Amino acid sequence: MTIEERISKMTLDEKASYLVGKDYWKTKEYKDVELPSFMMCDGPNGLRKQEGKGDHLGINESIKTVCYPTASMLAASFDPELARELGEHLGDECQREHVSMLLGPGINMKRSPICGRNFEYYSEDPYLAGTMAVGYIRGLQSRHVAACPKHFAGNNQETQRMSGSSYIDERTLHEIYLAAFEKVVKEADPKSIMCAYNMLNGTYCSENKELLTDLLRDKWGFKGFVVTDWGASKDAVKGVEAGVDLIMPGISNDSAEYIADAVRSGKLDERLVDEACARIMRTMFWSRDGQPKDVKPSDDTTRESDYSFARKVAENSAILLKNEAHTLPLGKDEKIAFIGAFAEKPRYQGSGSSHINSAKVTGALACARAEGRNVIFAEGYDLSEDPEKDEVLLKEAAALAKKVDKVVIFAGLPNKYESEGYDRRSMAMPENQNRLIREIASVNPNTVVVLHNGSAVEMPWADDVAAVLEMMLAGDACGEAAVHLLYGDVNPSGKLAESYPMKLSDNPSYLDFGLENHDPHYGEGIFIGYRYYDKKEMDVRYPFGHGLSYTTFGYSDLAVDKVDIRDTDTITVSLQVTNTGDISGKEVVQLYVGEKNSKVARPVKELRAFRKIFLEPGETKKVQFTLGKRDFAYYEPALHDFYAETGDYFIMAGSSSRDIRLTADVHLEATEEIPVRYTINTSIGKILSTKKGREVFGPILQALTGGAAAAEEENKKENGSEAEAGKTEELDTDVLGETEEGAQYRQMLEMPLSSMVSLAGMPRSTVVDIVRKLNS
Ligand code: BGC
């Protein structure tokens, strides 16, 4: 039976009912039309399959399984291949557990370091988030398990997440908050997408036709089905009209009856119900048809191999933030103190719907002891922050620290600090931990800090300690991975997927984030993360893309195959990277693009490509990238599309966003202009910035302003642009010199055309005629 035949045999009530889940995790089944139910589960960093009572907050039991590093750590690997492998592991497990769809990945942008759910998201950079998610989705879906990127869109804080509205302008939305979604839809064909709880610019995402139909389906070509976030459906009929297909969870039949009644009363077109049914069924049969029939359930062997893979992800993602005087790696024969409750019981995942019931978790202390390392231990701080206990623990730890060669403090954010459902109150770590770190560093100069946290923290002690290893939330094999990295069995290669500002108030969303009685207005626009800190020339604690290695890398021979391009061209950028140290290691080569004198506000640089490469000592590899129009473009609201303007661009290759090693210049010519609707109040400068404007108004202006125009000609000559002189070309206000005529000319550029009437005595009818010609 085809999907269409099934739908034609179902009654209206059955079809409406199919659009609402059967329970917490499943769709309904209809035996008469051979329509089985299918199961979906959270994700994204493990399988949260609930066989008993369901919930979406991480409260009730789920099956025992493996917890992988969360998205914020995976992103730091800068390795989409690793994300693909993770998707495959999860896909295999879903097959074994008869799960057809995994609710992830989470690809919202980190607008603020204190969004409670940052640990579940990849980055502050849409290109990095999109690229990692494409890898993950391709891996998962290669096993015929549907991915469900979430939460679409503008869900960047937990405060008011189910009731508030994110106000985001069109350019910022497309350039920052939608770009990762666009990338995954266009490149990875996700079979589903989850719409967010919140409103976007005043309309609930679950009722937002502009978002779910006009953009997602009609413009981007999304082929899957849209599921609501759990409980995000408000008005089910408005939802179906907007493009929602499946309402989850299914607790009562109320929404189904409401939808069927709306069809009966002529309020809702039955065709929309049929289309939604068909879209859910297409994904369901795609997943059924591709899954092997005789997979065995998960067992100790599969869990062991998944656990080893979780360790591999953690080892490839941990970030060495600081390493003075080669404090790390720790020596085999050195006497080491591990200090901190997290050394015994690491914090390795976040709270909420992504919470995994781990079969086995390893702490660093137990691993180090099992591997025979020379390690002693003190608890250091009390996780419940009891001041009396802290006093005792601090003294004990300081005494121990004096007796050893080096100290490793395991610190970070306790569970309750970071969770789905609420935002962090600040970016600070618990004060008892900050105090411990300062005191230990003052008695032992070889103090190393290992951090467990899902997103950026303030590190007031960063200058006092010798080394910092950021382990983030590293999954079940957290402790083993930490020990291997600390002792140099594995060379760190992670890079920060988010900036670590000095303090929370440096972050541009600070004034408007997480307020109970105020909807967030994304006033900082496109300037989030490094886009902001770079533009403001602000110091950060650790920049986006930063991460050290136990070896060093040299960059050379940056070359671009064309330096004068049109926006329709692609260019090839290549460079050589050499391992200049004496151990093997991996480097993430990052490619940023920036525009020199843009006419719109743009970041200094934006990540447009990256590649992680492995190099033996002394080895050199050539790395090559291709850049196209979108890599030079910004989103132009007048076009409702991306636009690469004519201008000079920098191509920057580096080891982090603040460690640019090589730069090349490229000049780009736009093949089309942004259409301008001229009025009598359009400024003269704006008119002269377009070809049409120069053609129509250039000669008139020449005739009117002989003196100033001559000064402008003179300026062009003085500035070496003879070729330009004499032509009615676009005026470069930069080359207008310091002469009085030049200054007057600049002032004139700001005047509206209508001022020609009062200031130059031009008849109004002539001005109107000029406007008509400009618009013709
Ligand atoms: C979360 C989703 C999750 C869903 C199901 C919601 O509260 O926002 O990310 O997939 O619950 O548990």
Side-chain angles (χ1 to χ4, degrees), residues 24-25 41-43 48 55-57 103-104 117 120 150-151 155 158 161-162 194 197 229-230 353-354 420:
Y24 237 87
W25 305 116
C41 288
D42 283 305
R48 181 168 180 266
D55 76 277
H56 64 288
L57 297 170
L103 303 174
R117 228 172 161 181
E120 255 190 274
K150 60 192 186 183
H151 310 85
N155 178 190
E158 291 300 278
R161 72 164 168 157
M162 296 176 113
M194 186 189 291
Y197 286 124
D229 198 345
W230 268 231
S353 61
S354 68
E420 175 178 343

Side-chain angles (χ1 to χ4, degrees), residues 517-643:
N517 295 327
H518 172 81
D519 287 332
H521 289 66
Y522 291 40
E524 70 284 0
I526 56 161
F527 294 101
I528 77 164
Y530 69 90
R531 285 168 169 78
Y532 176 78
Y533 304 120
D534 279 5
K535 193 81 180 181
K536 293 280 289 181
E537 300 176 349
M538 275 169 87
D539 283 343
V540 289
R541 182 67 73 191
Y542 297 110
F544 175 84
H546 169 75
L548 304 171
S549 164
Y550 295 147
T551 187
T552 46
F553 299 98
Y555 285 55
S556 64
D557 303 313
L558 179 68
V560 280
D561 66 341
K562 302 179 202 97
V563 290
D564 268 306
I565 58 167
R566 291 159 75 84
D567 56 9
T568 43
D569 292 337
T570 54
I571 58 167
T572 304
V573 182
S574 62
L575 69 147
Q576 308 266 12
V577 181
T578 305
N579 182 343
T580 47
D582 44 19
I583 60 163
S584 57
K586 290 180 187 168
E587 169 69 327
V588 177
V589 184
Q590 300 162 42
L591 203 70
Y592 296 85
V593 176
E595 192 185 351
K596 209 174 179 180
N597 286 320
S598 174
K599 295 197 177 62
V600 294
R602 296 194 74 173
V604 177
K605 63 174 99 69
E606 292 177 273
L607 183 72
R608 297 305 196 198
F610 60 86
R611 183 87 31 82
K612 190 163 194 170
I613 52 167
F614 173 81
L615 292 168
E616 295 290 357
E619 189 185 355
T620 298
K621 271 188 188 151
K622 183 175 175 176
V623 185
Q624 202 163 294
F625 301 102
T626 306
L627 297 179
K629 177 177 173 184
R630 180 74 179 252
D631 302 310
F632 297 94
Y634 70 94
Y635 183 92
E636 172 52 59
L639 293 171
H640 304 296
D641 206 349
F642 283 84
Y643 181 70

Side-chain angles (χ1 to χ4, degrees), residues 107-109 111 115 117 121 150-168 173 177-178 181 194-209 211-212 227-235 242 244 423 513 518-522:
I107 55 177
N108 296 104
M109 289 295 103
R111 179 177 176 233
C115 166
R117 228 172 161 181
Y121 300 143
K150 60 192 186 183
H151 310 85
F152 190 57
N155 178 190
N156 308 96
Q157 64 179 44
E158 291 300 278
T159 310
Q160 288 204 66
R161 72 164 168 157
M162 296 176 113
S163 54
S165 179
S166 301
Y167 288 97
I168 314 176
L173 250 179
Y177 294 97
L178 297 176
F181 287 99
M194 186 189 291
C195 70
Y197 286 124
N198 53 282
M199 287 183 259
L200 181 60
N201 295 327
T203 306
Y204 278 107
C205 293
S206 62
E207 295 171 3
N208 201 322
K209 179 166 174 292
L211 191 66
L212 303 183
V227 60
T228 61
D229 198 345
W230 268 231
S233 168
K234 308 282 174 192
D235 181 319
V244 162
D423 294 311
F513 183 87
H518 172 81
D519 287 332
H521 289 66
Y522 291 40

Side-chain angles (χ1 to χ4, degrees), residues 236-251:
V237 171
K238 281 192 189 161
V240 174
E241 273 171 342
V244 162
D245 301 305
L246 180 64
I247 294 168
M248 287 300 283
I251 303 296

Side-chain angles (χ1 to χ4, degrees), residues 189-478:
D189 184 25
K191 301 294 175 190
S192 178
I193 212 161
M194 186 189 291
C195 70
Y197 286 124
N198 53 282
M199 287 183 259
L200 181 60
N201 295 327
T203 306
Y204 278 107
C205 293
S206 62
E207 295 171 3
N208 201 322
K209 179 166 174 292
E210 224 179 290
L211 191 66
L212 303 183
T213 298
D214 304 349
L215 182 71
L216 180 65
R217 293 198 166 99
D218 297 347
K219 197 159 178 191
W220 294 349
F222 174 65
K223 299 275 179 300
F225 74 90
V226 174
V227 60
T228 61
D229 198 345
W230 268 231
S233 168
K234 308 282 174 192
D235 181 319
V237 171
K238 281 192 189 161
V240 174
E241 273 171 342
V244 162
D245 301 305
L246 180 64
I247 294 168
M248 287 300 283
I251 303 296
S252 82
N253 216 35
D254 200 72
S255 296
E257 282 164 18
Y258 178 40
I259 293 170
D261 286 347
V263 173
R264 279 188 205 102
S265 67
K267 200 174 145 211
L268 179 69
D269 188 345
E270 188 166 357
R271 184 183 51 85
L272 295 178
V273 176
D274 291 357
E275 279 173 7
C277 287
R279 285 194 284 253
I280 305 170
M281 289 182 204
R282 273 200 292 275
T283 291
M284 190 266 289
F285 284 115
W286 165 86
S287 105
R288 282 295 143 111
D289 295 346
Q291 294 216 3
K293 306 283 173 259
D294 51 358
V295 280
K296 296 202 185 82
S298 302
D299 57 19
D300 287 350
T301 318
T302 52
R303 273 197 286 268
E304 200 49 49
S305 92
D306 285 350
Y307 171 88
S308 303
F309 178 69
R311 187 186 61 226
K312 178 176 161 184
V313 177
E315 289 173 350
N316 278 280
S317 309
I319 310 132
L320 184 60
L321 292 176
K322 174 174 184 179
N323 192 17
E324 261 174 19
H326 303 288
T327 307
L328 289 177
L330 304 173
K332 251 198 343 257
D333 302 322
E334 285 170 340
K335 189 160 184 172
I336 309 292
F338 276 11
I339 294 178
F342 285 158
E344 265 194 314
K345 227 174 160 281
R347 167 132 189 279
Y348 66 97
Q349 67 169 326
S351 302
S353 61
S354 68
H355 192 267
I356 296 301
N357 186 2
S358 297
K360 151 182 156 184
V361 184
T362 53
L365 182 64
C367 289
R369 282 182 175 152
E371 290 178 11
R373 318 273 189 185
N374 189 2
V375 166
I376 50 175
F377 172 70
E379 197 178 320
Y381 54 87
D382 176 49
L383 271 174
S384 60
E385 297 172 56
D386 175 327
E388 271 174 40
K389 283 191 194 152
D390 273 328
E391 228 28 69
V392 178
L393 294 173
L394 180 64
K395 278 206 185 90
E396 182 198 349
L400 205 71
K402 287 182 193 148
K403 295 191 207 143
V404 291
D405 298 314
K406 290 176 182 168
V407 181
V408 184
I409 304 178
F410 291 79
L413 297 177
N415 248 324
K416 62 173 188 238
Y417 277 60
E418 267 176 314
S419 170
E420 175 178 343
Y422 54 87
D423 294 311
R424 275 157 72 194
R425 291 215 175 88
S426 79
M427 222 178 100
M429 283 171 40
E431 189 40 42
N432 60 349
Q433 296 192 30
N434 283 336
R435 180 172 162 215
L436 172 84
I437 295 170
R438 275 193 300 262
E439 301 255 332
I440 298 295
S442 73
V443 297
N444 190 323
N446 299 318
T447 295
V448 178
V449 176
V450 171
L451 286 175
H452 296 296
N453 48 307
S455 188
V457 288
E458 284 167 1
M459 301 183 203
W461 36 257
D463 294 336
D464 307 334
V465 300
V468 183
L469 178 66
E470 174 57 272
M471 283 302 292
M472 309 218 69
L473 302 181
D476 287 351
C478 168

